[in-house]
Amino acid sequence: MNHTLPAAASHGPTSGAVTGDAPGAAPRFSKGSALAVLVCWLLVVFDGYDLIVYGTVQSSLISETGWGLTKATAGTIGSMAFLGMMIGAIFAGRMADSWGRRKTIIGCAIVFSVFTILCALAPNAAVFGILRLLAGIGLGGLVPSANALVAELVPAKWRSTIATLMMSGVPIGGSIAALVGIPLIPAFGWQAMFLVAALALVIVVPLGLKFIPETLAPGNGASTDVSKKSGFGSLLRAPYLGVSVLFALATIATLFAWYGLGTWLPNLMQLAGYNLGSALTFALALNLGAVAGSVLTAWAGTRFGPIPTAIAAAAVAAVGLAALLASPPVAVVYLALVLAGVGTHGTQCLIIAAVASHYPDHLRGTALGWALGTGRIGAVVAPQVGGLLLAAGLGVNSNFLAFAGAAAIAAVLLAAVGLKITSTTPQGASNV
């Protein structure tokens, strides 16, 4: 199968490619491009599983391994994957624009699968943390690379919708982790949760090799045309500087809330008096809310625009998390967590959709890598903050307050993005 597509400007017929009826015509789906999007989505599902799985085994690592973990050190280990994701997102986005989407996607999938599997064999906390860091590099690199490729395989009018639906794979993977953990951890121990990653390596990666095409024209990332240069320097100067910084700050706040919850929620609910099974069902509610949020925000983002919808989603997350401070009845806790999932993950999906739509083709991967890479600062800090708040004796509500505050800050930053884009839309970019 031919895995090279022509440049985006010439949508000529290619196996697995986006095609047009005439030069300059709007691209449309082919069967091959639909299969490529599906495989990328499956890889995002495993990305989500491999990331969220730590939250499902955290209590077991503290109580059963004999590694001497405390809540604070468990938070530090939780941050290691997010630190790796920051590195992976920044550099993989740049590599995807320079070397090609396909190579970067497949490489990242192999990296996160192998090192996640090796976590099951870790003899101590230090080795486990290093393996999570290395897995995180692949986890962080996959999402911007896959989104950059998918954005080039679909018509522009569907780009926001497909980008948002693509990200439903993250909470679906997290939901699978919570569901699998309920029977698997008591029966086979925490190690079994990491061995599930082998399925991506033996099933989905081969599918990727077969169906994922290359969309970037050779040499595109090395263009001598200043207006077509890729790289972070292009993002951090006019006309992109202001909006690039705001996208990064909004992503930091959003990922602080989303991954802070993903890391600490099962443990927080156990500290609140629920058993492991119940705590994992709360994590499931959060992730199912995130799946629903992906669908709802895909529709709303197309109808109202990704930025206005993202502002509303971040506000919904802040309200849902704030409701938990009142120690409501169990039914209300489930509802609040669903709203938190809808809002936090939905906001992040919409940020990705906005970035994919705002920047031109030659900068898309780099821009996604920039937003998601710098945004991982929030993901790195959140598990640490959660652990330190608990270690300081401030209680479960201190975590919910911190995550609710981050969601509210994200809403304000996204409002600033909307104002900035409205006032200055760069040539060749889309007003989102």
Side-chain angles (χ1 to χ4, degrees):
M1 179 175 180
N2 182 0
H3 290 297
T4 303
L5 294 184
S10 64
H11 303 293
T14 304
S15 179
V18 173
T19 59
D21 297 321
R28 58 179 174 81
F29 267 134
S30 69
K31 180 180 177 181
S33 60
L35 286 171
V37 171
L38 177 61
V39 172
C40 285
W41 179 81
L42 288 173
L43 288 172
V44 174
V45 170
F46 277 97
D47 187 293
Y49 177 93
D50 290 4
L51 179 62
I52 301 298
V53 69
Y54 178 73
T56 69
V57 304
Q58 188 181 65
S59 296
S60 300
L61 293 176
I62 293 172
S63 62
E64 298 174 11
T65 58
W67 291 349
L69 292 176
T70 65
K71 292 179 178 64
T73 54
T76 300
I77 290 178
S79 295
M80 296 302 286
F82 299 121
L83 179 60
M85 292 180 78
M86 180 169 64
I87 298 168
I90 290 173
F91 288 102
R94 180 69 182 93
M95 287 189 299
D97 280 343
S98 299
W99 299 347
R101 320 298 196 205
R102 182 175 182 268
K103 291 178 184 177
T104 308
I105 290 168
I106 298 299
C108 287
I110 291 171
V111 167
F112 76 65
S113 298
V114 168
F115 287 110
T116 297
I117 293 167
L118 291 176
C119 283
L121 308 177
N124 54 53
V127 172
F128 184 89
I130 292 170
L131 291 170
R132 287 294 287 169
L133 172 69
L134 295 171
I137 292 174
L139 292 169
L142 177 76
V143 169
S145 307
N147 274 284
L149 181 138
V150 168
E152 291 158 12
L153 292 177
V154 301
K157 67 178 180 179
W158 295 352
R159 191 172 288 155
S160 176
T161 302
I162 297 299
T164 306
L165 291 175
M166 270 283 294
M167 292 308 297
S168 70
V170 174
I172 287 174
S175 300
I176 292 170
L179 282 171
V180 168
I182 294 172
L184 206 63
I185 295 173
F188 301 103
W190 62 268
Q191 294 92 337
M193 295 294 290
F194 292 95
L195 297 177
V196 173
L199 294 174
L201 199 59
V202 301
I203 297 175
V204 188
V205 168
L207 290 175
L209 289 169
K210 182 176 182 180
F211 293 114
I212 294 177
E214 184 53 77
T215 60
L216 193 66
N220 188 63
S223 172
T224 56
D225 182 352
V226 173
S227 68
K228 296 292 184 182
K229 283 261 183 204
S230 62
F232 297 112
S234 298
L235 296 181
L236 299 179
R237 62 171 176 254
Y240 299 106
L241 174 60
V243 74
S244 294
V245 171
L246 287 170
F247 272 132
L249 292 174
T251 308
I252 289 171
T254 303
L255 294 185
F256 180 93
W258 168 240
Y259 286 122
L261 281 169
T263 300
W264 278 108
L265 184 61
N267 196 267
L268 291 173
M269 301 317 288
Q270 284 184 278
L271 291 173
Y274 299 94
N275 60 35
L276 175 62
S278 296
L280 290 176
T281 61
F282 286 122
L284 180 61
L286 175 73
N287 282 285
L288 289 177
V291 174
S294 299
V295 177
L296 289 171
T297 55
W299 169 81
T302 301
R303 175 68 177 81
F304 303 106
I307 293 299
T309 308
I311 296 168
V316 166
V319 170
L321 289 167
L324 296 174
L325 300 174
S327 300
V330 173
V332 178
V333 172
Y334 278 113
L335 176 60
L337 289 172
V338 168
L339 291 176
V342 168
T344 53
H345 186 69
T347 300
Q348 187 53 48
C349 290
L350 290 159
I351 291 174
I352 290 171
V355 171
S357 297
H358 182 67
Y359 294 88
D361 289 349
H362 67 282
L363 277 176
R364 186 172 293 119
T366 304
L368 286 164
W370 160 261
L372 288 167
T374 56
R376 299 297 172 188
I377 294 170
V380 170
V381 171
Q384 297 264 34
V385 170
L388 291 173
L389 290 172
L390 292 174
L394 297 178
V396 170
N397 278 354
S398 65
N399 273 245
F400 292 136
L401 181 61
F403 302 145
I409 290 170
V412 173
L413 289 167
L414 287 165
V417 170
L419 291 173
K420 184 73 176 175
I421 289 176
T422 300
S423 62
T424 56
T425 299
Q427 184 178 1
S430 300
N431 190 330
V432 294

